[in-house]
Amino acid sequence: MRFMTMVKFDESLPMGPPPPALFEAMGEFAAEGARSGTLVDQGGLLPSAAGAIVSLVDGSIKAVDGPFTEAKELIGGYAVLEVRSKAEAVELAKRLMQIHKDHWPGWEGSCEVRQLGDS
């Protein structure tokens, strides 16, 4: 079963850039996931100021450049996991949150876990 985890946070909070210790711990987590076969893909996203939103409303398509000031929480990173169950995906997401807690003091956010549909 494949799951996508999305790390979300409010980028308007004054947390500063991710500390080097977080990158190191995430690298260890990724290496372990690669060895075990549970981590299919992962990455971080640039701030919303570097992005855009393309929407379809009332038959009109429009694009708006970031930052996305209306959004409360934005996706800051993701991982695609290959695991046996939702429970296993949730445990890995808890580990991701623990890494943030341990290596980025004051960081607050969440990790959404969603199963990928069959394609």
Side-chain angles (χ1 to χ4, degrees), residues 19-106:
L22 179 73
F23 288 116
E24 185 177 320
M26 289 299 294
E28 292 171 12
F29 179 81
E32 180 184 321
R35 281 191 302 274
S36 70
T38 60
L39 183 62
V40 176
D41 189 22
Q42 57 109 26
L45 302 176
L46 293 177
S48 69
I53 292 179
V54 179
S55 58
L56 170 62
V57 178
D58 294 328
S60 296
I61 297 172
K62 68 177 184 172
V64 177
D65 287 335
F68 312 136
T69 56
E70 305 83 29
K72 177 70 176 155
E73 285 192 322
L74 296 170
I75 299 172
Y78 70 94
V80 176
L81 308 172
E82 180 74 45
V83 293
R84 293 179 295 278
S85 66
K86 177 181 166 189
E88 188 176 352
V90 168
E91 283 305 311
L92 289 169
K94 286 180 179 180
R95 286 189 55 206
L96 283 172
M97 292 294 94
Q98 187 67 49
I99 289 169
H100 282 75
K101 179 181 176 183
D102 292 346
H103 300 287
W104 196 349

Side-chain angles (χ1 to χ4, degrees), residues 107-118:
W107 185 88
E108 292 186 2
S110 61
C111 187
E112 184 175 342
V113 178
R114 303 273 302 273
Q115 186 172 356
L116 295 176
D118 294 332

